[in-house]
């Protein structure tokens, strides 16, 4: 089914991303956060606090795992919101 209409899955994906990062599975953590972000953007829109929280998590993760350019751009966008 289409997960975009099940926003509760976003929180589960964010928790999964945290656990995956702790295990060193950074690419899987990134994928989980990107999926959570898609769900939040569809369910709530781009400016909702849950969308912003997910963006923040993605920005921090990307910065920590070696993609600071994208990570810092995302964090800057969140701060300008």
């Amino acid at each position: 089914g289409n997960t975009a209409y099940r926003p509760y899955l976003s929180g589960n994906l964010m928790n999964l991303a945290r656990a995956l990062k702790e295990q060193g599975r950074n690419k899987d953590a990134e994928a989980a956060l990107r999926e959570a972000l898609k769900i939040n953007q569809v369910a709530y829109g781009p400016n909702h606090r849950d969308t912003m929280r997910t963006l923040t998590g993605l920005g921090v993760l990307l910065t920590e795992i070696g993609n600071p350019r994208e990570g810092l751009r995302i964090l800057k966008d969140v701060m300008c919101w």
Side-chain angles (χ1 to χ4, degrees):
N2 188 347
T3 58
Y5 298 105
R6 297 187 210 135
Y8 63 88
L9 291 176
S10 170
N12 293 341
L13 285 166
M14 289 183 68
N15 291 335
L16 175 62
R18 263 186 238 106
L20 290 167
K21 184 178 182 308
E22 288 174 9
Q23 296 174 3
R25 296 173 58 189
N26 295 330
K27 289 297 180 187
D28 293 330
E30 179 184 346
L33 281 175
R34 289 189 186 277
E35 185 65 24
L37 179 60
K38 283 193 278 185
I39 292 169
N40 284 339
Q41 287 173 328
V42 170
Y44 303 121
N47 298 321
H48 189 272
R49 70 175 185 261
D50 288 347
T51 304
M52 291 293 138
R53 187 177 304 126
T54 307
L55 272 170
T56 300
L58 180 60
V60 169
L61 175 71
L62 290 171
T63 302
E64 291 176 347
I65 68 171
N67 189 353
R69 178 173 287 181
E70 184 181 6
L72 292 173
R73 181 190 55 76
I74 289 170
L75 292 172
K76 182 180 174 187
D77 290 347
V78 170
M79 290 182 70
C80 292
W81 170 68

